[in-house]
Amino acid sequence: MDSLGRVVTLSGAESRACTPDLPDQQKEDDARERDASCQEQGGSNYEATGASKEMAPPPDEIGRVSKEPDPSELRVGEGVSADARSSGFSLLAKSCIPQASFAQAFAMSSIAYMPNVYISLFRGDARLIGLANITMVIVDISINPWIGRLSDTGFFNCCYFSDVHSWGRRAPLMLLSIPVCMLSCVLFWIGPESLQSPVAVAMWYTAARLLMTIGIAMFESAFQSGFTELFPSKAERVSLGLAKFFAAMVGGGLGFVGIVPSAVGMKDPGSPNQRQLFALFGLLTGVSWMLAVPYARLQRRSIMKKIVPSSSWSSMADFWRSSPAFRCLAISTHFYGAGFMLLLTALP
């Protein structure tokens, strides 16, 4: 033991030279004492070999190196796993997630039979309407990853939303998507009854469908990305996912049962009764998107506020270079939605 109280372990001939001839029992006792002293020092012993000596770091340094980071001392996303801690949001704040799902499901289920309404009631060109539905699937596949990448690069952080640290990357995108979705819902219900040409009716439907495709792509990109960033805990995401599912079921059921039968059963296009009823449906489906505003405001507290520089072309290339499984899933999902829409179009 040196002057600082640290144990010195010598090797080879030096150890034998410095150790006097002692009984075997005393040697064993001394060895046990040295081992206990080394453990108390926390690994602060050092070894000397010849003229060179390599000193181990002090006990406090060893503690800092070997100590695992405490998740409670770190913010979410800084060196801890996704399941290390919960988001800390209140139950009231979390309720805005299923509320937004309810709004989306209600609006989308209400306009699910729009192809049938435009063909049977407004006498629109069925071929053009069907072609519009197929084209919108391709548009949806193309712009969905592109919009998400634009959000990552801060493209939507402009004008009032220019402060990324205050608004984040997802809140501006969702807040901009809400008026787009509202306008598309209103256009679906109000306007086509005044058109006389089947081609004009089909073009009106195509414009409203394109606007809805863009709005939903913006909404979904902000919704899903913000959901993962706001709730890094898997347990929270699972519980909120169930709440989202049930809210969407309720919203979809209300739209399908409360609006679709009346819209499909209408027989007098352009009549005052039809205009008033469809204006009411347009108001309900449009205003329902306002229920997603609280979730958009909550996304301002997202932990991901760093701008990722990238170009739009490289964004598309990154998407197609992703895993084949993800690519197949995305494409099959979109075409499944298109097939469902075409099936509704063919229904009487």
Side-chain angles (χ1 to χ4, degrees), residues 280-298:
L280 176 62
F281 290 162
L283 179 64
L284 289 176
T285 55
V287 172
S288 66
W289 287 102
M290 295 298 295
L291 295 175
V293 172
Y295 179 42
R297 293 180 60 85
L298 182 66

Side-chain angles (χ1 to χ4, degrees), residues 295-315:
Y295 179 42
R297 293 180 60 85
L298 182 66
Q299 290 184 347
R300 297 181 62 177
R301 301 169 65 178
S302 169
I303 62 175
M304 303 296 292
K305 297 186 178 182
K306 182 180 179 182
I307 297 299
V308 179
S310 178
S311 64
S312 58
W313 290 108
S314 63
S315 303

Side-chain angles (χ1 to χ4, degrees), residues 141-143 145-146 311-321:
I141 294 174
S142 302
I143 68 174
W146 185 50
S311 64
S312 58
W313 290 108
S314 63
S315 303
M316 297 301 297
D318 291 342
F319 170 72
W320 288 111
R321 282 198 300 263

